[in-house]
Amino acid sequence: YSWSPVKARALPGSLLAGFLSLAIDEYKPLDATTNPSLILAAAQMPAYQKLVDDAVAYGKKLGGSEEEQIKNASDKLFVLFGAEILKRIPGRVSTEVDARLSFDKEGMIQRARRLIDLYKEVGVGKDRILIKLSSTWEGIQAGRVLEAEYGIHCNMTLLFSFAQAVACAEAGVTLISPFVGRILDWYVANGDKKTYEPSEDPGVKSVTKIYNYYKKFGYKTIVMGASFRNTGQIKALTGCDYLTISPKLLAELSKEHVKLTPTLSVKEAQACDLEKMHLDEKAFRWHHNEDQMAVEKLSDGIRRFAADAVKLERMLKERMFGTENGK
């Protein structure tokens, strides 16, 4: 199989990989994650048509309106991909809740529980799943409920602001995914400076601050740096709990043959000059809104994932009810 839907994670000391089965075999990641864009691309590949066919059959079997059948088929497809990935890794897979629910706390809780039930149907326990939620206020509070009341572990994605990170820590979620590369992209596109040294990279500085805050105040939430654009960013964040690294950048790192010294550490974090914050909804919305980059990148990310969810549903509709009805 060609593992197009995979972007993988590993603990410090182990590099993580994805996208191709060769990369999984070579780098042996512990965990893996998918998103709607990757699932959409993979679902159109010949190698995965059996999974698509099974998802379509499942949606039709459950019946209901066309909309309900398509939604059920879509959820099933995400789970089937996740289950396949889990056959190749020892850890957990992240499966994302529909981005169109990003401002619907109860909707996200319901969909997350549904995904966990679907995994259970194929013999996968919730201990091997991370539910990915958008890091909106509603998403963070959905994560709080899922963790505390249902024992469902959450991966908070599309995280760009310090306010989002603080709120996630207070909610007690399992893991956050701050996006290093997308933060850099925004500053390059919107400022005069086009290149940054790794230590001055705005994405690196964002994740460093979050890591230091979490470790200084004893939060258990895992910090997983994601969305890297170059190896300099990766090396500047060595010591972070988890990192998500593409096979391309892993290949570049493997050629360097240098010993990396951790740049982040719990000891140094505890000595940092940071003050503890508490954010209720009003304070969260104000502090997040003060960060123009984070506001724009969060909304853009939600729109992009939502658009790919619509494309995936359109493809499933054509498969389930015929091309004419699917247009």
Side-chain angles (χ1 to χ4, degrees):
Y1 281 98
S2 169
W3 289 95
S4 298
V6 182
K7 291 172 69 180
R9 300 190 306 273
L11 288 166
S14 303
L15 290 178
L16 46 143
F19 290 130
L20 300 174
S21 59
L22 289 177
I24 290 179
D25 293 339
E26 180 177 357
Y27 298 113
K28 297 178 173 57
L30 298 183
D31 305 309
T33 182
T34 64
N35 67 43
S37 303
L38 295 170
I39 294 292
L40 173 65
Q44 299 175 69
M45 297 178 180
Y48 300 118
Q49 292 316 296
K50 176 64 164 59
L51 299 184
V52 177
D53 290 342
D54 288 349
V56 166
Y58 181 86
K60 286 187 173 183
K61 178 182 176 182
L62 262 58
S65 65
E66 280 193 10
E67 181 180 352
E68 289 171 334
Q69 290 182 53
I70 293 166
K71 183 178 74 172
N72 286 330
S74 179
D75 286 346
K76 184 68 170 180
L77 185 60
F78 272 73
V79 168
L80 290 173
F81 270 116
E84 285 295 312
I85 292 166
L86 285 171
K87 295 175 183 178
R88 301 184 69 91
I89 61 171
R92 297 184 287 200
V93 69
S94 290
T95 297
E96 193 147 349
V97 166
D98 193 331
R100 290 168 291 181
L101 297 172
S102 293
F103 303 101
D104 181 353
K105 172 186 168 184
E106 295 304 323
M108 281 183 276
I109 293 170
Q110 182 180 9
R111 187 64 67 86
R113 294 181 66 195
R114 172 64 177 153
L115 289 169
I116 293 297
D117 286 343
L118 288 172
Y119 271 112
K120 186 176 180 180
E121 288 179 9
V122 295
V124 177
K126 65 182 179 182
D127 59 309
R128 299 202 68 196
I129 308 301
L130 283 168
I131 293 295
K132 289 179 77 174
L133 302 168
S134 300
S135 296
T136 57
W137 176 259
E138 294 81 4
I140 295 167
Q141 300 316 307
R144 180 194 297 272
V145 172
L146 289 166
E147 297 269 6
E149 297 185 18
Y150 299 102
I152 295 174
H153 300 297
C154 297
N155 170 357
M156 304 308 300
T157 190
L158 296 176
L159 192 147
F160 302 97
S161 74
F162 188 63
Q164 288 174 295
V166 170
C168 285
E170 292 193 308
V173 299
T174 296
L175 181 147
I176 62 168
S177 298
F179 282 15
V180 180
R182 293 199 200 184
I183 292 175
L184 174 64
D185 294 346
W186 188 91
Y187 280 95
V188 169
N190 291 278
D192 295 330
K193 193 170 183 177
K194 302 304 178 185
T195 59
Y196 291 84
E197 290 298 316
S199 62
E200 295 301 316
D201 185 300
V204 170
K205 291 172 72 174
S206 175
V207 175
T208 298
K209 182 179 179 181
I210 292 167
Y211 174 90
N212 287 340
Y213 183 84
Y214 278 23
K215 303 313 175 191
K216 181 177 178 68
F217 296 110
Y219 290 111
K220 301 301 183 185
T221 298
I222 295 164
V223 179
M224 185 186 76
S227 169
F228 291 103
R229 297 292 181 259
N230 56 67
T231 59
Q233 292 176 326
I234 296 165
K235 289 183 283 189
L237 288 172
T238 53
C240 191
D241 297 329
Y242 284 16
L243 298 176
T244 302
I245 306 172
S246 70
K248 176 179 178 293
L249 292 178
L250 281 171
E252 291 181 25
L253 286 169
S254 69
K255 296 174 183 176
E256 294 191 15
H257 302 295
V258 294
K259 184 177 181 179
L260 293 179
T261 301
T263 56
L264 304 182
S265 72
V266 174
K267 184 177 180 180
E268 290 188 12
Q270 291 174 342
C272 285
D273 183 22
L274 291 169
E275 293 185 6
K276 194 169 187 177
M277 298 174 63
H278 167 66
L279 298 180
D280 59 13
E281 182 177 354
K282 289 181 288 187
F284 168 83
R285 294 193 185 281
W286 176 257
H287 284 283
H288 180 70
N289 190 66
E290 285 289 277
D291 189 333
Q292 181 183 351
M293 174 278 298
V295 171
E296 293 181 8
K297 296 305 290 184
L298 173 60
S299 60
D300 177 66
I302 291 171
R303 285 193 299 270
R304 287 175 183 271
F305 281 158
D308 283 338
V310 170
K311 291 176 185 176
L312 181 62
E313 289 182 354
R314 186 178 298 128
M315 184 198 74
L316 290 170
K317 185 173 183 178
E318 292 176 1
R319 294 281 285 265
M320 296 173 80
F321 303 108
T323 303
E324 290 304 315
N325 289 339
K327 287 184 178 178

